[in-house]
Amino acid sequence: MKLKKMDITGFKSFCDRASIAFPAGISAIVGPNGCGKSNIVDALRWAMGEQSVKQLRGKSMEDVIFAGTNGRAPLNMAEVSLTLVNDNGTAPEELKDFTEIMLTRRLYRSGERSYFINKQPCRLKDIHNIFLGSGMGAKSYAVIQQGNIGAITDAGPEERRFFIEEAAGISRYKNRKKETLSKLEATNQNLLRVTDIISEVERQMNSLKRQALKAERFQKYQERKKHLDIRLAIHHYDQYSQEIQKNTYLLKELKDEDLAHATSLKKLDAAIEEIRLRRTRKNQEIADQRSGQFEIQRNIDRSENDLDHLKKEMNRLTTESKELQTAHITLQERNREILAEVADGESRNVGLRQETETVKALLTREQADSQGIRGKLADLNQALERAKSELTERVGQEARYKNIFQNVSSNKDNLRRRLKRADEDVVLAGQKVTECEKKEAEAQEEVRLCRDETEEIGEQIDAIRAGLGEKSKALGQQVKAVQTLEYDRNKVRSRYAALKKMADSFEWYRDGVKAVMKSEAMQDRISGVMADILEPEPGYAAAVEAVLGEALQYVIVSDRAAGQEAIGFLRSQNAGRGGFIPATGVRVPAHGQAANPDRLLAHVRVKPGFEEIAEALLGHAVVADSLSACAPDHCAVRVTRDGEVLTPRA
C-alpha cells in the first residue's frame, strides 16, 4: 500500500481543511521553522492509530485540536483522513477488493473519538490490522522523526527484531497469535470461574435440598398434627356429648340417689385423667421440638464466639501482611538505589573507555606523522648527497645551492624539534594510557563489588519473597477457613432466623394459642405463654416438659374475665382450642414438698411475678435419678431428667 493523499481539518496548526497529495516518487515538504512540517508527520502517525501523547509532542490528546489564535477561534474537532492505494494486495482480506482505502480518525474536545474505514465506523483495532505486515503503522520504521535515527541505530536486539518482523510482514500474524492466546487465557479463566460457580451452586443446591426436605417433613408433621388435633377434638366432642347425655339421663333418673351420683363423678374423673394422659403424649413432641430449639440457640452462640475469635485472628494476620509488604517495598527501594549506582559505574566505565580510545587514536596519528617526518628526512639526506656530488660540476650554481642547503638545514632542525616533541607526546600518551587502564581496573572492581552486593540483595529478596509466599499461602488458608466459617455462620443464622420467625409467628403452638397471641384486641390483657416464663437449667428441660405437658402452651391472662373473653374469641372465630391461666387468684395446693431439696422447681428460673403459677403447676414435682427406685407418693409427682414420669396413681 502507498499513501496517496492526506486531508487535515482542525489538527494542531491546520485550522482550515487542507489536502496534501503525495504523487509517485519522493515527496519533500519544505518550509520555514514553525510552519507546520512536523505537524504533518504527527497527523500521519495520529491517523494511523498513535495513542501516545508524548509521540505527538503534546501533554494531552486534546492538544491535537486547534487551540485558536488572536484572530481565529478554537475548534471543537480535529480530523485527519488518509487515502491509501491498494496496489500490491497487502491489505486485509475484507479490503482486498478496494483499489483505494480511506482511513479517518476524528476527536472532539469533549473526549469523544471515532474511527472510519471508507467512511464506515470501525474500531481502532481495525486500523491497526490494516497496517500490520505492510511496513506502515504508527510504531513502524516507515515514520522516522527527529532523533529517531539514533534510536534505531542504538536499538537493542528486541527492538531490531521488531523492525525486521515488521519489514518481513509477520507482525500481523504475531499480533493475531497474541490476541488468540490472550483470548484462550481469558476463556480458561472464565471456565475456571464457571467451574467454581457451578461447584458453589451445587453445594448450595445440596444444602437447599436438605432444607427443602426438612421443610417438607415439617409441613407433613404439621398437617399430621393438625389432622390429629381435629380428630382428637371430634373424638373428645363425641365422647363429651355422649357423657353429657348419659349424665343428664342419670341425673334425671337418679336425682335422689347420692351413691349413684358419686359413682358417676368417679367415672368422669377417670375419663378426665385419661384425656390428660393423652394430652401429655401429644405434647411430648412439642417438648422435643422446643429442646431442639434451645440446642440450636446454644450452637449459634458458640458459632458467633468462634467467628469473633477468627475475625481478630484475621485482623492480626492482615497487620502482619501489611508489615511484610512495607518491608518488601523498602527492599525494592534499596534494590533500585543499588541498580542506579551500578548503572552510574557502568556509565563512568564507558566514558573512561571512550577517553582511552580517543587517546589511542591520537597516539596512532602522532606515530604516523613521525614516520612521515622520518621519511622526509631520509629523502633530504639523499638530496644532500646528490648535491655534494654535483658540487664540483655546478660550481656556478654554488651560491644558489648554498642557499638551498641552508634552507634544508633549517628545515632539518625544525623536523628534529618536531620529532622530539612527537617522542615526548608518545611518552605522555603512554602515561595517560597507563592511568586510564588503572582507572578502568578500579571501575571494574567497583562494578564487581556492586554486582556482588546486588546478588546478595537479590538472594535476600528471594528469601523474603519465599517467606512472603509462605505467609500469603497461610493467609490464604486462614481466609479460606474464615470464608468457610462465614458460610457456616450465615447458614446457622439463616436457620436461626427461620426458627425465630416461626417462634415469633407462634408456629410451635396449636392453632388456638396462635390465634389468641396474634389477636391485637387481646394483647393488653395477655402476659405471655407458660413456656415463656420458665427457663429450666441445662438437662432439666425434658423433665419440665414431661410434668407440664400441654400446660406449656397455656396462655397467661390478667384475670379470669380475660380468660373467658379469650375463650369466647376462639369460639366466635372457630380458631381451635386453648388453655388459659389467670395471673391473679391462683390457688397453690398443699403438697408438702416445699422443703424437699429435690424439687423440680429448684432447677427452674421463673420470670418475676409468676412464682405462684409456677408453684401451682410444678411445686408437686420431685426430680429422681430413675423410676425403678421410686415408690408411688399420694401427693408428689416423680420425674427423671429424661422425662419419665411417675404420678401418684402410678
Side-chain angles (χ1 to χ4, degrees):
M1 292 187 294
K2 296 180 181 179
L3 179 62
K4 180 181 180 182
K5 185 176 66 173
M6 177 167 46
D7 297 324
I8 307 175
T9 304
F11 184 85
K12 289 192 175 182
S13 60
F14 294 91
C15 57
D16 297 327
R17 184 178 184 84
S19 180
I20 302 174
F22 296 91
I26 299 175
S27 299
I29 302 173
V30 183
N33 293 335
C35 67
K37 300 187 297 298
S38 298
N39 291 341
I40 295 176
V41 180
D42 293 341
L44 180 63
R45 295 177 69 101
W46 188 68
M48 288 191 295
E50 179 62 61
Q51 297 297 314
S52 175
V53 181
K54 183 178 179 181
Q55 294 294 333
L56 298 175
R57 300 179 299 128
K59 296 182 179 179
S60 64
M61 193 58 73
E62 188 178 344
D63 293 342
V64 304
I65 304 176
F66 178 70
T69 60
N70 293 332
R72 301 295 297 269
L75 298 180
N76 294 324
M77 182 194 72
E79 180 180 305
V80 178
S81 299
L82 300 180
T83 302
L84 305 177
V85 178
N86 185 19
D87 55 355
N88 56 359
T90 58
E93 292 292 335
E94 61 272 12
L95 299 175
K96 280 190 175 181
D97 296 335
F98 294 94
T99 58
E100 290 185 355
I101 301 173
M102 183 177 183
L103 307 178
T104 304
R105 181 175 182 178
R106 188 180 298 163
L107 175 66
Y108 295 92
R109 198 174 292 277
S110 60
E112 299 177 2
R113 63 191 67 191
S114 55
Y115 303 89
F116 301 90
I117 297 178
N118 292 336
K119 298 183 180 181
Q120 298 295 324
C122 66
R123 303 170 299 174
L124 176 61
K125 180 180 177 181
D126 300 329
I127 301 290
H128 289 164
N129 288 336
I130 292 177
F131 295 108
L132 285 176
S134 63
M136 300 178 66
K139 298 184 181 297
S140 68
Y141 58 87
V143 180
I144 301 175
Q145 291 180 323
Q146 297 176 0
N148 284 4
I149 296 177
I152 294 174
T153 56
D154 297 336
E158 293 295 332
E159 296 176 352
R160 288 198 300 270
R161 180 173 182 173
F162 173 78
F163 293 137
I164 294 171
E165 289 176 351
E166 183 67 26
I170 64 174
S171 59
R172 175 185 299 175
Y173 306 105
K174 291 195 67 175
N175 192 25
R176 290 179 182 176
K177 177 184 177 182
K178 184 178 180 181
E179 291 179 358
T180 304
L181 291 175
S182 63
K183 288 180 180 179
L184 289 174
E185 182 64 23
T187 304
N188 291 331
Q189 294 296 328
N190 292 333
L191 287 175
L192 290 175
R193 287 196 293 270
V194 169
T195 304
D196 294 339
I197 293 172
I198 290 173
S199 61
E200 182 66 22
V201 170
E202 288 178 351
R203 188 173 66 175
Q204 294 178 0
M205 286 178 62
N206 294 331
S207 177
L208 291 175
K209 286 180 180 179
R210 291 193 297 270
Q211 294 179 9
L213 292 175
K214 291 180 180 178
E216 289 178 358
R217 288 199 300 270
F218 175 77
Q219 291 293 336
K220 289 180 181 179
Y221 290 153
Q222 284 293 102
E223 292 293 334
R224 183 180 177 186
K225 180 175 174 292
K226 185 176 180 180
H227 181 67
L228 292 174
D229 286 341
I230 293 173
R231 292 182 61 184
L232 183 61
I234 293 173
H235 174 70
H236 289 167
Y237 177 77
D238 295 338
Q239 185 177 0
Y240 289 152
S241 298
Q242 293 175 4
E243 289 179 356
I244 291 171
Q245 291 178 1
K246 183 178 180 181
N247 291 332
T248 303
Y249 179 77
L250 291 174
L251 286 173
K252 288 181 180 179
E253 290 184 353
L254 305 173
K255 193 179 278 188
D256 298 332
E257 296 180 1
D258 295 335
L259 184 60
H261 183 68
T263 305
S264 299
L265 289 175
K266 290 181 179 179
K267 291 181 179 180
L268 290 174
D269 291 335
I272 292 171
E273 188 64 24
E274 184 180 359
I275 292 170
R276 287 181 179 176
L277 290 175
R278 291 178 181 176
R279 290 179 180 176
T280 302
R281 296 191 189 96
K282 295 300 179 182
N283 289 332
Q284 185 65 33
E285 297 179 359
I286 298 174
D288 294 337
Q289 293 177 357
R290 183 171 293 278
S291 63
Q293 182 181 5
F294 291 155
E295 185 65 24
I296 290 171
Q297 180 64 36
R298 287 192 293 271
N299 292 333
I300 290 172
D301 294 337
R302 286 196 298 269
S303 298
E304 289 180 349
N305 293 331
D306 294 339
L307 182 61
D308 292 336
H309 175 70
L310 288 174
K311 283 185 177 179
K312 293 179 181 178
E313 186 67 17
M314 184 174 67
N315 292 330
R316 183 181 66 80
L317 291 175
T318 303
T319 304
E320 292 181 359
S321 177
K322 290 181 179 178
E323 292 175 356
L324 290 174
Q325 289 178 358
T326 304
H328 180 63
I329 292 172
T330 304
L331 289 175
Q332 284 183 346
E333 292 177 354
R334 176 62 179 165
N335 189 19
R336 285 196 292 270
E337 292 176 358
I338 292 172
L339 291 177
E341 292 177 0
V342 172
D344 188 18
E346 290 179 352
S347 64
R348 286 187 293 175
N349 189 14
V350 171
L352 292 174
R353 288 180 180 175
Q354 292 178 354
E355 290 179 2
T356 303
E357 295 295 330
T358 303
V359 172
K360 288 181 178 179
L362 181 60
L363 180 60
T364 303
R365 287 196 299 270
E366 292 293 336
Q367 290 177 353
D369 293 340
S370 177
Q371 290 178 359
I373 292 170
R374 289 176 181 174
K376 290 180 180 179
L377 181 60
D379 294 336
L380 290 174
N381 288 328
Q382 292 177 2
L384 180 60
E385 293 296 332
R386 286 195 301 272
K388 287 181 179 181
S389 62
E390 292 178 356
L391 181 62
T392 56
E393 297 176 356
R394 298 181 182 181
V395 178
Q397 300 177 356
E398 183 179 3
R400 182 160 56 88
Y401 284 115
K402 284 183 178 181
N403 293 331
I404 292 172
F405 178 73
Q406 290 177 356
N407 292 330
V408 170
S409 296
S410 62
N411 291 333
K412 181 179 179 181
D413 294 334
N414 292 330
L415 290 175
R416 286 178 178 175
R417 287 193 296 271
R418 291 179 63 185
L419 181 60
K420 185 177 181 181
R421 285 197 301 270
D423 293 336
E424 293 176 354
D425 292 338
V426 169
V427 173
L428 292 175
Q431 293 177 357
K432 289 183 179 180
V433 168
T434 304
E435 293 177 357
C436 291
E437 290 178 350
K438 184 177 181 181
K439 290 181 180 180
E440 182 181 3
E442 293 177 354
Q444 289 179 354
E445 181 66 21
E446 291 180 0
V447 170
R448 187 184 64 78
L449 294 175
C450 292
R451 286 178 178 174
D452 294 340
E453 188 176 357
T454 303
E455 291 177 356
E456 292 178 0
I457 294 175
E459 293 176 356
Q460 295 178 1
I461 292 174
D462 293 336
I464 293 173
R465 283 179 179 173
L468 182 60
E470 294 177 357
K471 294 290 185 181
S472 301
K473 185 177 180 180
L475 179 60
Q477 293 176 355
Q478 291 290 338
V479 170
K480 186 178 293 184
V482 170
Q483 290 176 351
T484 304
L485 291 175
E486 186 72 19
Y487 172 75
D488 295 338
R489 190 191 74 162
N490 293 334
K491 182 178 178 182
V492 172
R493 181 174 291 177
S494 62
R495 185 176 181 184
Y496 168 74
L499 294 174
K500 189 175 184 302
K501 183 177 180 182
M502 294 175 68
D504 293 338
S505 59
F506 304 98
E507 292 292 337
W508 307 105
Y509 299 97
R510 57 197 314 170
D511 294 340
V513 178
K514 188 189 304 183
V516 172
M517 295 302 293
K518 289 185 178 180
S519 175
E520 295 181 357
M522 298 292 296
Q523 292 299 319
D524 55 345
R525 307 182 69 182
I526 293 176
S527 300
V529 184
M530 188 66 192
D532 295 335
I533 69 171
L534 301 177
E535 185 176 348
E537 295 179 357
Y540 292 91
V544 173
E545 292 172 359
V547 173
L548 291 180
E550 189 176 343
L552 279 172
Q553 297 193 27
Y554 285 176
V555 181
I556 301 175
V557 295
S558 57
D559 50 18
R560 190 179 297 275
Q564 293 176 354
E565 183 181 350
I567 294 173
F569 172 76
L570 293 178
R571 288 177 178 174
S572 62
Q573 299 294 328
N574 195 17
R577 298 180 298 109
F580 301 93
I581 300 175
T584 58
V586 177
R587 290 178 298 176
V588 179
H591 41 68
Q593 301 296 331
N596 193 339
D598 295 332
R599 295 178 66 199
L600 178 60
L601 194 58
H603 302 283
V604 178
R605 191 171 66 87
V606 183
K607 188 175 180 181
F610 300 95
E611 290 82 359
E612 293 182 355
I613 298 175
E615 183 68 29
L617 295 177
L618 291 176
H620 63 292
V622 178
V623 180
D625 294 335
S626 63
L627 296 182
S628 60
C630 296
D633 194 342
H634 67 282
C635 60
V637 174
R638 304 286 180 174
V639 62
T640 64
R641 291 188 180 184
D642 297 332
E644 298 176 351
V645 181
L646 181 64
T647 62
R649 297 178 180 83

